[in-house]
Amino acid sequence: MKVLVPVKRVIDFNVKVRVKADQSGVDLANVKMSMNPFDEIAVEEAIRLKEKGKVTEVVIVSIGPSQAQDTIRTALAMGGDRGILVKTDGPVEPLAVAKLLKAICDAEKPGLVLTGKQAIDSDANQTGQMLAALLGWGQGTFAHSLELSGSDVKVAREIDGGLQTVSLRLPAVVTTDLRLNQPRYASLPNIMKAKKKPIAEKSPAELGVDVTPRCKVLKVSEPARRAAGVKVKTVAELVDKLAEAGVLS
């Protein structure tokens, strides 16, 4: 069975995000970029399924500028087999991403799509659900664990009250949560091997998808600074402060 894993190039989670002076967006100049952490978890899970003999091929897909090849290479170094880059220089909204992935799924015929539940830059949490709807496949979101068995996949998903287990008929779309696994580090030999693995390049036009944004960003601003806290000397003073704030009645 073939598994398709979409990955996104985002600002590294350790980097402090800066807003442009004109508030038109986030400043990406000279900023370290890396794979979206949730997508990294999806890559790791796909590789583990392959190591168990339940998956024959792991295909990595990214949508973005030519630099997204580096993100694909990282996933290939972890253990992916080949990559597909849909090259586009402008912003691509979740619905357009889902349509591009659907076109790739129609061509590749994967048995399972594994993707992160959301990207840490936009936090939209929409692409996996939209893709499942466009394909007409079952979906298991926020996966805490998954188990492949024949033509079914059992997904324990994280919900507010704990865990909910669902059984899906393949093909299906599964989005990964943080506690599914701990992604591996790519070894130096695998990094060198990844340089020789094929990456096919496509365009949105080839896939018949219009990626023109439907939304216009009017303004991007940093969160307001939090006011400094107040130190109190006694418990009685603390109680008085809480009463003034309406916390105690």
Side-chain angles (χ1 to χ4, degrees), residues 106-241:
D106 289 342
E108 292 288 336
K109 300 290 190 296
L112 179 66
V113 175
L114 271 175
T115 187
K117 69 171 184 177
Q118 65 195 72
I120 62 172
D121 53 359
S122 62
D123 272 339
N125 182 17
Q126 296 175 346
T127 301
Q129 293 90 326
M130 288 177 171
L131 176 61
L134 291 172
L135 289 168
W137 294 0
Q139 59 176 296
T141 54
F142 319 130
H144 178 275
S145 67
L146 67 86
E147 180 183 346
L148 276 178
S149 178
S151 59
D152 295 326
V153 57
K154 187 179 292 184
V155 180
R157 54 188 301 269
E158 297 193 23
I159 58 175
D160 290 341
L163 295 176
Q164 177 191 58
T165 302
V166 296
S167 181
L168 310 171
R169 178 75 65 179
L170 296 176
V173 177
V174 176
T175 70
T176 61
D177 216 325
L178 281 175
R179 282 157 288 277
L180 179 59
N181 61 51
Q182 180 65 43
R184 70 192 66 190
Y185 290 103
S187 65
L188 182 58
N190 286 339
I191 291 173
M192 300 306 293
K193 290 176 184 177
K195 293 181 179 180
K196 297 181 180 179
K197 292 182 179 180
I199 297 179
E201 192 171 299
K202 299 182 181 294
S203 69
E206 285 180 64
L207 298 173
V209 178
D210 178 13
V211 295
T212 304
R214 268 66 172 176
C215 298
K216 181 180 179 181
V217 176
L218 301 178
K219 180 182 177 182
V220 176
S221 58
E222 294 185 4
R225 291 184 178 275
R226 294 180 61 182
V230 177
K231 290 185 178 180
V232 295
K233 295 180 180 179
T234 65
V235 173
E237 189 180 353
L238 172 61
V239 172
D240 289 341
K241 292 288 185 183

Side-chain angles (χ1 to χ4, degrees), residues 18-28 219-222:
R18 300 189 306 271
V19 175
K20 292 180 180 178
D22 62 0
Q23 295 187 312
S24 62
V26 173
D27 187 3
L28 299 180
K219 180 182 177 182
V220 176
S221 58
E222 294 185 4

Side-chain angles (χ1 to χ4, degrees), residues 238-249:
L238 172 61
V239 172
D240 289 341
K241 292 288 185 183
L242 292 174
E244 290 174 10
V247 176
L248 300 178
S249 57

